[in-house]
Amino acid sequence: MNTAAIAGILNFLVSFAIMASIYAIFTMGLNVHWGYTGLLNFGIAGFFALGAYTSALVTSPMPTGMMANYVKQAFGLNLPFLVGVAAAALISGLIALPVGLLTLRLNEGYLAIATLGIAESIRIFFNNESWLANGPQGLIGIPQPLCTLVPPGYYNYIYLVIVLIFLAAIYVALERGIRSPWGRVLRAIREDEVMSGANGKNVFFFKLQSLILGAMIMGIAGALYAHFSAAIQPGVFEPLFGTFIIWAMLTLGGTGNNKGAILGAFIVWALWSWSTFFILKIVPAGFQTRAPFIRYILIGLLLVVVVLKRPKGIIGEERHVSKF
Amino acid sequence: MSILKVEKVVSGYEHMQILHQISLEVQEGQIVSLLGPNGAGKTTLLRVIFGILPLRQGKVYFKGEDISDIPPERMPRLGMCYVPQEENVFPSLTIQENLEMGAFILKAGCKPRMEEIYKLFPDLSNRRKSRAGELSGGMRQMLAIGRALMLNPQMLLLDEPSSGLSPLLVDIIFERIKKLNEAGVTIFLVEQNAQALQCADRAYILEGGEMKAEGSAREILKDEEIGRLYLGR
Amino acid sequence: MLELIVYGVVLGSIIALGSIGLTLIWGITDLFNCAHGDQITVGAYIALLFVSLFSRIGFLQAKVGPFSFNWGVLLAFIPAIIISVGLAIFIEHWVYKPLRNTGAHFITSFIASVGVAWVLRGLIYMIWGAEFHFYTSGLRPMIFLPQGIKLRVDEIFIVIVAWAAVAAVYLFMSKAKMGKALRALADNPELARISGINTQRMIDWAWGLAGTLIAIAGVLYGIETQLRPEMGWIFLLPLFAAIILGGKGSITGALAGGLILGIAQQVSTAWLSPTYKPAVAFIIMILFLLFRPKGIFGKG
Ligand SMILES: Nc1ncnc2c1ncn2[C@@H]1O[C@H](COP(=O)(O)OP(=O)(O)O)[C@@H](O)[C@H]1O
Ligand SMILES: [Mg+2]
């Protein structure tokens, strides 16, 4: 193999690892909701979208000159990347507050559908309100942090490091959180709402905290996605797909387990992004345009088989021993 | 001849064993009562007999045939019907429809039998189109028994039919049970209410998943120690 | 305004037709079937397959009355229904039944149905590709009603079939022994078993009924718009909203829910951009959940 081919494969692997890590963060956010607290949030794509749009608007400059004719956005603050990510977490968390106040009292199945509706409404809102973030065309040219350090061809290595730092930090923080007394209350709520209510803990308040924390993590994932792809459109955050593929990742890896969340994200994303690659090599030429869709079948089958044969996911839930 | 025979049955839920080596016998044509306090395992035993809950050891015979592994949906065909303690009607179905469901397995019509049930429980007859979910506790209990009688079973399992009813209604229910028995239905009557002894032929006392006593209903009724220990007297 | 209400009734009837099977299965098996939309797509495409097979048979090419479709499309309902029923029962036996028997949480079955949905959609993409298909080419005749209301003649057909299907299923559920047993099963599965009802057989029947309704909805949806692999999936959210409004397992509720959503969506276009129509449906659904969590006809 020549060096160009190796560089190509490396590039592919690096951008794969970046996306998989972003999804892993997203999935850990869901794990806070569903794995730790038992909240059926099907509106996660909405929080991811909020994070992506917030960071994009906060970090990009207001379009000027020719661009201003084509790109409309409510504001463009031109602030640093980290401020954008922080703002993403903040806005996602802030929106989670009213969402939680409204819906957390619903029974679990209805909570799922209500959040799904809210997420879809958020997407439709971004799609329609062009003044806010350029409507269906979305935003392009979202700034990338530290992009002057290396030539563009090598930028992904830098971004991978950034994403991995976020992944590691969130993983460590969550692992600590879940072993703290606070995490213990969350799990108690998941196991038996009535009992923890009787223990005098304010179940609703803890659920709200969990919803906000998870949403903030999803917002961060959304921000990281926006700066990686440098372009976002509402279509990317279609809840039925954007939400369920994350659910598939968590279910596959192991609900209630952050390692499982990460593993699930990598497996599903690998299947999704690599299957096309291999399939294109084996199918006849006339079939090439249809071949990529085989990944729907692969992921769907994998999901069904795992749910049937390993209902606790590939890793399964960790046993947590509280330090207190 | 014994129509129902339970032999050294062990059963429970998941990691919890509830019934420890339970044996009992019901003679054809009798009313046999099983008494015991809340949590004794009475409902659990009925669920095992009817095949809803698997047994871990022991055997259950009905009319001499081993029914230990027979699923509940096949029991009515064999001639045994069951009235659970709770949730024993279909709430969104009308009285009439609830009774029809009792005779679901019959290919032929069930109208004549239904009229017999309405005769036995005239209160039901006046409200045939009412939804079961809207009925009072007493009516609901009558409907539940009526549903189980639609197939004219040889044997009826009743789980605390008097629970939650006013004293007047309790008397009526026990009187109907007696009447049923006189019509030839063998009855296994599970109760907490010692009043059941007045219409029963024989009785068993269950506590903590163990059989504590058995005898004729008259003996058990007279036994002061049993009354004090298990029947709250 | 009257015009918008009429369009709303058309849209609501289509939603209602799509949602009866969904609410039936939800009521009886507790499954919130995410593959329902894609099963509708399969029904539509199976009919497409037979429509093209029938295209060699001359006399089937005549249009049916004033409608845009020919007799071949009408005949294709039959194989579409048969295959849709077979598919539904196949999935039940290989996926939902084993899950139910292990006592899985309802969310587990829901996730499994997401997997099923992806497999079905993947198959449609592989077999028919991503492009649009039509049952018949040519004009779609319009009908002009007073007050400047224009409808496609096909839409009148769809509304009639939708209402007839609701009426038929409603009658079946309230008058037929099998229908009553299905309601009994939805009410209290254990008591149904105790009464001698073979619950698995009933569930198969429910899937048979749902499969039939799914195929009818699919073909009609294909007549109304065009066939594309995402057609059912996109349709799913309004269906969810309609059955939640209507209440779990309620046939008449699904009709009422569908009509409310359809009319509200169309009427909202008097003030809002039409692109907000789906959001209107969700907002109504969420408000409903907050104030009447059991739906319009739900108990309690
Ligand atoms: N579904 C169940 N799972 C676990 N334990 C149960 C279940 N149902 C009953 N039990 C337990 O089994 C014991 C006996 O219950 P039950 O048979 O209902 O008693 P009884 O009918 O005599 O009041 C009780 O300790 C109860 O807590
Ligand atoms: Mg009991």
Side-chain angles (χ1 to χ4, degrees), chain B residues 37-44 85-86 159-160 190 192:
Chain B
N38 219 347
K42 305 182 296 294
T43 299
T44 307
Q85 182 175 1
E86 282 153 352
D159 196 352
E160 300 200 30
V190 165
Q192 276 190 58

Side-chain angles (χ1 to χ4, degrees), chain A residues 94-112:
Chain A
L94 271 180
I95 300 287
L97 181 71
V99 169
L101 289 174
L102 273 177
T103 60
L104 279 179
R105 288 184 205 283
L106 293 173
N107 98 8
E108 47 183 3
Y110 290 141
L111 173 72

Side-chain angles (χ1 to χ4, degrees), chain A residues 85-134:
Chain A
V85 177
L90 190 72
I91 295 292
S92 292
L94 271 180
I95 300 287
L97 181 71
V99 169
L101 289 174
L102 273 177
T103 60
L104 279 179
R105 288 184 205 283
L106 293 173
N107 98 8
E108 47 183 3
Y110 290 141
L111 173 72
I113 301 302
T115 48
L116 187 58
I118 290 171
E120 181 66 355
S121 302
I122 290 176
R123 185 182 70 85
I124 294 169
F125 185 74
F126 276 111
N127 212 13
N128 282 318
E129 302 303 318
S130 296
W131 56 270
L132 178 63
N134 210 28

Side-chain angles (χ1 to χ4, degrees), chain C:
Chain C
M1 184 55 79
L2 183 66
E3 190 185 356
L4 292 178
I5 291 175
V6 172
Y7 296 151
V9 170
V10 173
L11 177 61
S13 304
I14 295 173
I15 296 176
L17 179 64
S19 56
I20 321 170
L22 190 62
T23 199
L24 205 66
I25 292 297
W26 182 29
I28 290 165
T29 69
D30 263 344
L31 169 71
F32 216 78
N33 181 16
C34 226
H36 185 85
D38 291 285
Q39 286 176 264
I40 288 178
T41 314
V42 170
Y45 274 88
I46 296 294
L48 178 70
L49 180 71
F50 281 88
V51 166
S52 52
L53 286 181
F54 294 155
S55 69
R56 309 209 185 128
I57 307 173
F59 67 90
L60 288 178
Q61 302 316 305
K63 299 267 181 208
V64 181
F67 303 113
S68 79
F69 47 88
N70 60 31
W71 287 96
V73 176
L74 221 47
L75 196 61
F77 268 100
I78 296 167
I81 288 172
I82 293 171
I83 292 175
S84 170
V85 167
L87 177 70
I89 293 178
F90 176 84
I91 299 170
E92 156 67 17
H93 274 255
W94 285 95
V95 184
Y96 306 129
K97 177 175 147 187
L99 282 174
R100 226 180 9 256
N101 290 346
T102 54
H105 192 275
F106 76 85
I107 194 66
T108 312
S109 309
F110 181 86
I111 302 270
S113 76
V114 173
V116 171
W118 285 339
V119 173
L120 294 179
R121 192 147 7 114
L123 287 172
I124 301 262
Y125 269 121
M126 298 291 286
I127 299 171
W128 283 281
E131 57 279 13
F132 289 15
H133 293 278
F134 299 87
Y135 288 134
T136 45
S137 49
L139 277 175
R140 299 184 174 205
M142 304 286 283
I143 181 168
F144 296 89
L145 302 174
Q147 309 268 345
I149 299 171
K150 304 190 291 280
L151 284 180
R152 287 218 287 279
V153 188
D154 293 350
E155 285 173 336
I156 292 174
F157 179 74
I158 290 169
V159 171
I160 291 171
V161 174
W163 286 68
V166 170
V169 176
Y170 181 78
L171 280 178
F172 175 77
M173 295 299 279
S174 50
K175 298 279 181 270
K177 186 171 160 187
M178 198 68 91
K180 292 174 194 173
L182 285 172
R183 278 159 57 218
L185 179 57
D187 257 13
N188 188 337
E190 187 167 299
L191 190 62
R193 276 189 90 188
I194 289 171
S195 305
I197 297 174
N198 182 334
T199 49
Q200 185 57 47
R201 232 192 23 241
M202 285 299 123
I203 291 174
D204 289 347
W205 271 96
W207 278 109
L209 197 55
T212 306
L213 292 161
I214 282 169
I216 294 174
V219 182
L220 289 179
Y221 194 34
I223 290 174
E224 161 76 6
T225 57
Q226 67 287 101
L227 284 76
R228 59 214 146 101
E230 306 270 338
M231 63 191 274
W233 182 246
I234 294 168
F235 196 31
L236 193 60
L237 277 181
L239 301 189
F240 279 173
I243 66 173
I244 283 184
L245 244 61
K248 187 176 182 184
S250 171
I251 307 296
T252 43
L255 178 63
L259 287 175
I260 289 173
L261 290 178
I263 293 171
Q265 286 188 23
Q266 296 293 15
V267 168
S268 77
T269 58
W271 302 280
L272 286 173
S273 147
T275 43
Y276 268 118
K277 280 200 288 193
V280 168
F282 302 133
I283 305 290
I284 292 175
M285 176 189 80
I286 291 164
L287 290 177
F288 241 90
L289 281 176
L290 296 176
F291 296 110
R292 257 205 88 100
K294 297 271 169 99
I296 308 169
F297 299 118
K299 295 163 285 288

Side-chain angles (χ1 to χ4, degrees), chain B residues 7-199:
Chain B
E7 230 176 55
K8 301 209 176 105
V9 159
V10 174
S11 185
Y13 304 95
E14 283 170 57
H15 307 295
M16 226 184 342
Q17 186 176 322
I18 305 287
L19 300 176
H20 314 286
Q21 304 270 350
I22 298 296
S23 299
L24 62 82
E25 257 184 84
V26 176
Q27 301 299 320
E28 186 155 14
Q30 291 196 329
I31 298 183
V32 173
S33 181
L34 177 74
L35 289 159
N38 219 347
K42 305 182 296 294
T43 299
T44 307
L45 178 58
L46 287 181
R47 291 165 63 84
V48 169
I49 293 174
F50 211 72
I52 301 166
L53 193 65
L55 36 66
R56 294 175 186 173
Q57 285 171 35
K59 290 266 183 238
V60 180
Y61 298 94
F62 180 57
K63 295 189 285 188
E65 187 188 338
D66 184 354
I67 57 159
S68 312
D69 297 323
I70 302 236
E73 59 266 30
R74 282 188 42 209
M75 297 304 294
R77 257 180 225 288
L78 299 179
M80 184 192 283
C81 288
Y82 170 35
V83 182
Q85 182 175 1
E86 282 153 352
E87 300 186 354
N88 49 19
V89 296
F90 299 109
S92 74
L93 271 58
T94 63
I95 287 185
Q96 180 111 1
E97 289 168 339
N98 264 276
L99 294 180
E100 280 174 48
M101 286 303 108
F104 179 81
I105 60 171
L106 291 186
K107 290 269 178 295
C110 58
K111 283 272 149 31
R113 180 64 186 162
M114 202 179 285
E115 291 309 319
E116 286 174 43
I117 305 285
Y118 284 136
K119 236 175 253 152
L120 188 67
F121 299 115
D123 293 348
L124 295 181
S125 163
N126 305 327
R127 298 186 56 186
R128 298 176 186 208
K129 299 266 185 254
S130 303
R131 287 187 195 283
E134 298 157 3
L135 300 178
S136 66
M139 290 276 282
R140 217 184 278 211
Q141 199 59 255
M142 291 180 199
L143 177 58
I145 297 174
R147 181 199 54 77
L149 287 173
M150 281 299 289
L151 293 174
N152 208 352
Q154 279 168 282
M155 176 156 194
L156 195 58
L157 310 182
L158 292 169
D159 196 352
E160 300 200 30
S162 79
S163 73
L165 300 188
S166 70
L168 187 68
L169 273 170
V170 172
D171 289 343
I172 295 177
I173 287 277
F174 282 140
E175 175 246 325
R176 298 290 151 81
I177 290 172
K178 190 106 190 121
K179 214 154 128 189
L180 276 175
N181 179 244
E182 280 156 13
V185 186
T186 309
I187 291 174
F188 187 52
L189 174 61
V190 165
E191 266 298 345
Q192 276 190 58
N193 186 343
Q195 206 179 328
L197 289 171
Q198 278 152 14
C199 61

